[in-house]
């Protein structure tokens, strides 16, 4: 279930999740927003609440050099972080590779999956796999226009 940061403080969001709590171990919550730093307390409180209800949490649109460190991810008990390939490809390729490799190693050490989203061609799949990124998402795997 994808939840925007603006929805984290709604009573209706909490009621919705409480009504689904019997299924929580089968549901992953994806918190989507690029400005984690501005709402850090709200996000932290919500993640701890969701985990107390039995949900697993993935953070979306993480930037591999500023928003989240391994200690914080470990403390929160999130299971994955999603990184946008589009945002990262604005960096020179050697810099992108170094940052991604370091970030992936830190997350792997605490059993947090790194998921690269926005993968649209085979060359990206191969390059990312060579860098150790096994979890990938994007049009390369399922293009909306060709999916019935």
């Amino acid at each position: 279930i994808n939840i925007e940061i603006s929805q984290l403080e709604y009573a209706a969001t909490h009621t919705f999740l409480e009504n689904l709590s019997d299924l929580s171990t089968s549901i992953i919550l994806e918190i989507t927003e690029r400005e984690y730093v501005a709402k850090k307390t709200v996000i932290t409180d919500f993640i701890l609440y969701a985990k107390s209800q039995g949900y697993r949490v993935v953070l979306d649109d993480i930037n591999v050099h500023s928003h989240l460190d391994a200690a914080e991810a470990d403390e929160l008990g999130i299971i994955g972080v999603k990184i946008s390939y589009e945002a990262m490809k604005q960096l020179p390729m050697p810099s992108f590779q170094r940052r991604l490799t370091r970030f992936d190693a830190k997350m792997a050490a605490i059993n947090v999956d790194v998921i690269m989203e926005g993968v649209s061609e085979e060359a990206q799949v191969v390059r990312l796999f060579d860098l150790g990124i096994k979890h990938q998402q994007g049009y390369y795997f399922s293009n909306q226009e060709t999916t019935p």
Side-chain angles (χ1 to χ4, degrees):
I1 298 173
N2 193 311
I3 302 175
E4 293 286 334
I5 285 183
S6 62
Q7 297 172 305
L8 300 181
E9 296 179 288
Y10 295 167
T13 301
H14 291 252
T15 300
F16 173 75
L17 294 175
E18 287 164 10
N19 289 338
L20 289 176
S21 65
D22 288 346
L23 303 171
S24 64
T25 58
S26 300
I27 297 173
I28 296 173
L29 303 179
E30 179 180 309
I31 300 175
T32 301
E33 178 62 342
R34 288 174 175 80
E35 299 300 324
Y36 290 106
V37 176
K39 294 278 192 168
K40 191 171 188 173
T41 302
V42 171
I43 295 168
T44 300
D45 290 348
F46 182 81
I47 290 171
L48 296 173
Y49 160 77
K51 292 197 54 70
S52 76
Q53 296 291 313
Y55 292 98
R56 295 171 292 153
V57 178
V58 170
L59 293 178
D60 192 10
D61 292 325
I62 293 294
N63 183 321
V64 299
H65 65 275
S66 64
H67 292 303
L68 183 76
D69 64 30
E72 184 177 21
D74 192 31
E75 181 180 320
L76 290 173
I78 61 173
I79 64 164
V81 293
K82 293 175 76 175
I83 301 170
S84 169
Y85 189 85
E86 286 299 314
M88 292 306 300
K89 77 178 190 180
Q90 295 173 8
L91 296 170
M93 187 52 68
S95 178
F96 168 79
Q97 290 175 337
R98 279 192 307 276
R99 289 180 183 192
L100 184 59
T101 300
R102 277 195 312 262
F103 186 77
D104 185 49
K106 289 177 184 177
M107 293 297 134
I110 58 169
N111 296 315
V112 172
D113 291 328
V114 173
I115 305 147
M116 183 64 70
E117 59 184 355
V119 177
S120 60
E121 56 190 51
E122 185 175 359
Q124 291 171 318
V125 172
V126 172
R127 185 177 317 121
L128 291 167
F129 191 77
D130 287 346
L131 291 171
I133 305 301
K134 298 176 188 113
H135 304 287
Q136 302 176 28
Q137 168 187 339
Y139 285 133
Y140 175 77
F141 303 102
S142 179
N143 186 334
Q144 289 179 177
E145 296 173 10
T146 60
T147 303

